[in-house]
């Protein structure tokens, strides 16, 4: 059963008041529009289109992102994951879109985006069966890489070097604004929940004000805003559709990459909204992936590049401790409105990069810590350390040495365009390969006179590390098995006791077998008189205590062989 985390200001199903929801949505919109502007600029530059094409593409992209965000906030009937899950165009779809646009213009890019959406909707039907590929330690690693993947952009923006180190020097005033913005983000939560909930919008206000005072806006910024029309419908003259099955592989890889991203981000949503979280809810993830596919079909139809769930905006939610899905409806609606208000998109596009950089750096810290705590929620052995370590090495190589992947075949570019995708694929392959030879059922024999407690604890801890079990479950299981074994030996049998354990992601089952006198688990605690007067009093008390540790306990006898069964939900 889920449990609301105490540190959240507004959790997923709580509706924040307008005084909180509106400023919080505004901070989403400011950062989102400023970053989304780069996508149509890159795509239009690749096909040599006019500025009017850039404006039209930005409008359709904002509409697709807004509708997708609102759909994800829905819950029930297979549509939406029910979390605040902002949408944005990611690297994988951008790479696929550029290939299609250069091969056959925007019409081919839009047509193949719609086809990719249909593929993603179909892929969502088998997501639940892929649960074995995404154990918590793998999901934690991917979330950690998500945080690391934002560092280059965050630091470059923080220093004002998004155009490249050689493009411009560091502007001290700009870095000062970034430091001031980050300081407000760090200090605000110390003054209570009200300030924590509005930390990012407060920091944005301070950063934008300082930028204005220090002259960091372009000299013609006001003229650009004034010249932009207040209301304007998107220009549909650029939007047609065509298809080429030869591009299907590259779009399918983009679908795989964005599906992985969606699985990761929905897992973050589950993790931060449930203090009792133990594993990804794959049915909920299935709905999120299906909705992502539906959104991409819509994106292709209206002339937008494909989209996915956005890690940076999700990070704002995590860092602000506001995860209400109702913000998703408000934010989605705001993006759609912005698509028809060029004056607003022009104003947001002029936000100094230093301010955005400070927010992204702040988000990185929270995503990395969420990932680390998710990884450490399971017991570790050498196999898992290798899976996590090697996946981090290969995934982060995209950030550290991107030039080594410049000559990969075009079909594989979406894989190597994103550290998240490469790290996840590496983790899946290693996890499957290193699972070979691991038995999901093992047993040990405890001989009379042996230290049952020590042997059982060592056995279950070793197997728990191999299986990736939760440590608290293994501790309870060891305590329960020890009680049964010690209560049985010398009282119910003079021979050895066999302890067997079997595990899957949802269950841990123990069976303690022996040849001797049968005993049922007591429904109530034996009294002191019963323990003193009955020869089986000590065994009954030990079995009673074991039943308190287990989620279910029962016993059976067949052919003189007795067995005590202990079940633990995992």
């Amino acid at each position: 059963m889920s449990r609301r985390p105490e540190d959240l200001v507004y959790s997923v199903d709580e509706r924040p008041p307008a005084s909180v929801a509106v400023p919080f949505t505004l901070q989403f919109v400011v950062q989102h529009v400023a970053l989304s502007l780069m996508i149509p600029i890159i795509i239009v530059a690749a096909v040599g289109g006019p500025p009017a094409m850039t404006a039209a593409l930005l409008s359709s992209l904002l509409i697709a992102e807004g509708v997708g965000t609102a759909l994800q906030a829905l819950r029930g009937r297979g549509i939406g994951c029910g979390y605040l899950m902002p949408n944005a165009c990611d690297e994988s779809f951008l790479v696929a879109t550029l290939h299609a646009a250069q091969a056959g213009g925007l019409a081919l890019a839009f047509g193949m985006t719609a086809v990719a959406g249909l593929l993603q909707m179909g892929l969502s039907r088998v997501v639940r069966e892929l649960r074995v590929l995404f154990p918590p330690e793998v999901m934690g690693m991917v979330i950690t890489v998500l945080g690391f993947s934002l560092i280059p952009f965050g630091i470059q923006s923080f220093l004002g070097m998004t155009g490249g180190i050689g493009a411009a020097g560091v502007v001290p005033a700009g870095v000062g604004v970034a430091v001031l913005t980050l300081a407000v983000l760090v200090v605000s939560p110390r003054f209570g929940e009200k300030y924590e909930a509005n930390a990012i919008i407060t920091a944005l206000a301070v950063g934008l004000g300082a930028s204005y005072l220090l002259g960091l806006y372009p000299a013609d910024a006001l003229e650009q805003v004034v010249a932009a029309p207040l209301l304007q419908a998107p220009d549909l003259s650029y939007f047609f559709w065509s298809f080429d099955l030869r591009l299907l592989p590259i779009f399918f890889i983009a679908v795989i990459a964005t599906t992985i991203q969606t699985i990761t981000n929905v897992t973050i949503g589950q993790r931060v909204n449930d203090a009792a979280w133990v594993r990804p809810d794959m049915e909920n993830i299935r709905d999120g992936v299906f909705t992502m596919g539906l959104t991409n079909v819509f994106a292709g139809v209206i002339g937008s590049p494909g989209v996915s769930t956005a890690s940076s905006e999700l990070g704002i939610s995590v860092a602000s401790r506001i995860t209400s899905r109702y913000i998703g409806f408000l934010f989605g609606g705001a993006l759609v409105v912005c698509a028809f208000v060029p004056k607003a998109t022009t104003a947001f596009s002029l936000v100094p990069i230093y301010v955005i950089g400070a927010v992204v750096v702040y988000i990185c810290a929270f995503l990395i810590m969420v990932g680390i705590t998710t990884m450490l929620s399971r017991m570790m052995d050498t196999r898992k350390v290798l899976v996590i370590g090697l996946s981090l090495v290969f995934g982060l190589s995209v950030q550290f040495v991107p030039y080594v992947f410049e000559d990969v075949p075009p079909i594989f570019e979406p894989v190597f365009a994103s550290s998240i995708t490469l790290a996840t694929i590496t983790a899946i392959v290693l996890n499957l390969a290193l699972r070979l030879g691991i038995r999901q059922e093992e047993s040990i024999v405890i001989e009379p006179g042996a230290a049952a407690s020590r042997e059982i604890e060592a056995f279950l801890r070793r197997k728990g590390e191999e299986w990736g079990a939760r440590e608290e479950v293994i501790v309870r299981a060891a305590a329960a098995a020890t009680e049964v074994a010690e209560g049985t030996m010398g009282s119910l049998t003079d021979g050895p006791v066999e302890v067997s354990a079997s595990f899957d992601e949802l269950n841990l089952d123990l069976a303690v077998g022996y040849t001797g006198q049968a005993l049922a688990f007591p429904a109530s605690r034996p009294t002191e008189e019963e323990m003193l007067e009955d020869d089986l009093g000590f065994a009954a008390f030990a079995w009673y205590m074991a039943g308190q540790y287990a989620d279910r306990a029962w016993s059976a006898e067949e052919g003189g062989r007795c067995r005590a069964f202990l079940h633990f939900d995992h």
Side-chain angles (χ1 to χ4, degrees):
M1 180 178 294
S2 62
R3 189 172 76 248
R4 183 192 188 281
E6 295 181 0
D7 61 341
L8 288 184
V9 180
Y10 294 99
S11 65
V12 60
D13 288 317
E14 296 173 347
R15 193 190 301 264
S19 59
V20 172
V22 173
F24 188 69
T25 302
L26 180 61
Q27 69 193 17
F28 270 127
V29 175
V30 169
Q31 175 168 320
H32 187 93
V33 175
L35 297 180
S36 292
L37 182 62
M38 295 305 300
I39 302 300
I41 289 176
I42 293 171
I43 295 173
V44 172
V47 297
M53 181 184 290
T54 303
L57 192 57
L58 176 61
S59 295
S60 60
L61 176 60
L62 291 176
I63 292 172
E65 292 170 340
V67 170
T69 301
L71 287 177
Q72 289 288 9
L74 296 172
R75 180 176 294 165
R77 298 185 180 181
I79 302 293
C81 64
Y83 292 104
L84 173 55
M85 204 61 55
N87 285 192
C89 181
D90 78 334
E91 302 95 332
S92 300
F93 260 123
L94 177 59
V95 169
T97 299
L98 288 173
H99 277 284
Q102 291 171 334
L106 290 181
L108 183 57
F110 300 150
M112 294 308 296
T113 296
V115 171
L118 293 173
L119 289 174
Q120 196 163 29
M121 292 170 69
L123 185 62
S124 70
R125 300 299 93 182
V126 297
V127 162
R128 184 175 181 181
E129 284 67 34
L130 301 179
R131 184 179 64 191
V132 69
L133 303 180
F134 298 100
E137 63 271 14
V138 170
M139 297 308 303
M141 181 278 300
V142 176
I143 295 169
T144 303
V145 173
L146 260 178
F148 280 121
S149 70
L150 294 174
I151 290 177
F153 173 75
I155 294 299
Q156 289 174 354
S157 301
F158 193 93
L159 299 176
M161 291 182 168
T162 51
I165 295 178
V170 173
V171 178
V175 176
V177 168
V179 171
L180 176 62
T181 305
L182 183 60
V184 173
L185 287 167
V186 172
V187 172
S188 292
R190 295 176 177 268
F191 294 96
E193 286 188 356
K194 179 180 178 181
Y195 293 93
E196 182 176 17
N198 294 301
I200 294 181
I201 190 63
T202 302
L204 284 174
V206 171
L208 294 176
S211 298
Y212 176 77
L213 294 175
L214 294 173
L216 295 178
Y217 281 95
D220 62 342
L222 184 60
E223 288 79 2
Q224 291 184 46
V225 175
V226 171
L230 178 61
L231 295 173
Q232 186 178 68
D235 186 353
L236 302 180
S237 62
Y238 298 102
F239 304 141
F240 299 96
W241 302 272
S242 64
F243 308 92
D244 187 342
L245 293 180
R246 290 174 297 180
L247 288 171
L248 196 59
I250 195 170
F251 273 89
F252 182 69
I253 291 177
V255 165
I256 296 294
T258 54
T259 297
I260 290 171
Q261 178 124 330
T262 300
I263 291 172
T264 303
N265 287 335
V266 175
T267 299
I268 294 175
Q270 297 173 0
R271 176 78 172 81
V272 300
N273 282 286
D274 184 5
W277 183 90
V278 294
R279 71 182 65 84
D281 179 351
M282 298 308 291
E283 291 189 5
N284 177 242
I285 289 174
R286 177 198 63 194
D287 293 343
V289 173
F290 179 84
T291 304
M292 206 69 263
L294 183 63
T295 301
N296 281 320
V297 172
F298 174 73
V301 169
I302 68 169
S304 166
V307 298
S308 181
T309 51
S311 305
S312 57
E313 278 87 353
L314 182 59
I316 291 177
S317 171
V318 174
S320 300
R321 303 286 195 264
I322 298 178
T323 59
S324 170
R325 63 192 180 97
Y326 296 101
I327 298 292
F329 299 121
L330 195 59
F331 176 51
L335 289 184
V336 173
V337 169
C338 284
F340 295 87
V341 185
K343 196 178 290 292
T345 55
T346 302
F348 292 142
S349 69
L350 297 171
V351 173
I353 197 66
Y354 306 98
V355 178
I356 293 175
V359 175
V360 173
V361 168
Y362 184 69
I363 290 167
C364 286
F366 278 89
L367 286 177
I368 290 170
M369 289 312 301
V370 168
I372 291 174
T373 55
T374 302
M375 281 190 288
L376 297 180
S377 68
R378 297 299 174 93
M379 301 174 71
M380 291 285 173
D381 65 352
T382 303
R383 180 181 66 87
K384 288 184 176 57
V385 171
L386 284 174
V387 170
I388 292 171
L390 291 175
S391 300
L392 286 172
V393 168
F394 283 101
L396 294 178
S397 67
V398 175
Q399 305 293 330
F400 295 147
V401 285
Y403 55 86
V404 303
F405 304 112
E406 290 177 353
D407 297 326
V408 299
I411 190 175
F412 294 118
E413 282 186 11
V415 173
F416 296 96
S418 166
S419 57
I420 302 163
T421 305
L422 183 56
T424 305
I425 291 175
T426 303
I428 290 172
V429 172
L430 288 174
N431 189 46
L432 289 176
L434 295 178
R435 284 175 66 92
L436 297 175
I438 294 180
R439 296 178 59 186
Q440 297 302 101
E441 184 171 352
E442 291 279 4
S443 63
I444 59 168
V445 176
I446 311 296
E447 297 292 343
S453 176
R454 185 169 63 248
E455 291 194 21
I456 290 173
E457 182 179 358
F459 165 68
L460 289 178
R461 178 165 290 277
R462 183 176 68 255
K463 299 312 299 179
E465 290 172 352
E466 290 183 5
W467 293 333
R470 291 160 50 207
E471 186 168 12
E472 64 269 26
V473 175
I474 292 296
V475 169
R476 285 196 296 124
T482 297
E483 289 286 358
V484 173
E486 291 183 343
T488 299
M489 298 174 73
S491 297
L492 302 178
T493 183
D494 293 325
V497 169
E498 181 183 24
V499 179
S500 61
S502 62
F503 175 80
D504 61 36
E505 181 59 29
L506 301 177
N507 307 285
L508 173 64
D509 289 291
L510 304 183
V512 181
Y514 62 94
T515 301
Q517 187 172 351
L519 183 69
F521 280 92
S524 59
R525 184 181 186 276
T527 64
E528 292 184 8
E529 291 78 10
E530 289 173 333
M531 286 189 285
L532 291 174
E533 296 174 0
D534 191 337
D535 293 338
L536 302 181
F538 172 72
F541 177 75
W543 282 42
Y544 169 78
M545 293 301 298
Q548 301 308 299
Y549 288 117
D551 293 302
R552 284 192 295 124
W554 68 101
S555 61
E557 178 186 10
E558 184 176 353
R561 184 69 176 172
C562 304
R563 302 183 77 187
F565 297 95
L566 301 164
H567 172 80
F568 301 85
D569 295 329
H570 188 265

